[in-house]
Amino acid sequence: AGVCQEFRGAGIQRSMIRLREEAARAKGWWGCVTTTYCNPASSNNLIEEGWRQYQPVTPWMTQGTQYWRKVLNPDDPRVRSIL
């Protein structure tokens, strides 16, 4: 969730992250995945919202990409098969 430079620092990105999580929960998803690349501010926002870094078995982005996921429903049986 990118934010135009003139609006940065107001918590907009973190709000957009939370909105994406709410939409995923409403659809019954067990979790979410996203990526960052050379963007410490976005990485820090994901960390603050409870996201964790992980390494996918088959990375799909360019080298240096950071992969993130967040489990939204830890009681979902599908979660046990991927963690």
Side-chain angles (χ1 to χ4, degrees):
V3 177
C4 293
Q5 189 167 0
E6 64 264 25
F7 299 108
R8 292 180 184 162
I12 295 170
Q13 185 180 42
R14 289 183 64 187
S15 293
M16 289 192 296
I17 291 168
R18 288 190 295 270
L19 287 170
R20 290 189 315 203
E21 292 173 15
E22 288 175 26
R25 280 187 191 93
K27 292 179 183 218
W29 295 1
W30 65 265
C32 294
V33 172
T34 193
T35 62
T36 58
Y37 182 78
C38 296
N39 193 333
S42 290
S43 297
N44 287 335
N45 284 331
L46 290 167
I47 291 167
E48 290 293 321
E49 292 300 321
W51 291 66
R52 306 283 293 184
Q53 272 193 305
Y54 82 105
Q55 185 61 44
V57 174
T58 306
W60 60 88
M61 300 293 285
T62 188
Q63 188 174 3
T65 298
Q66 293 179 302
Y67 296 86
W68 302 87
R69 70 178 167 201
K70 183 172 183 180
V71 174
L72 302 174
N73 182 2
D75 296 327
D76 189 314
R78 296 173 290 181
V79 172
R80 287 186 213 100
S81 68
I82 59 95
L83 295 180

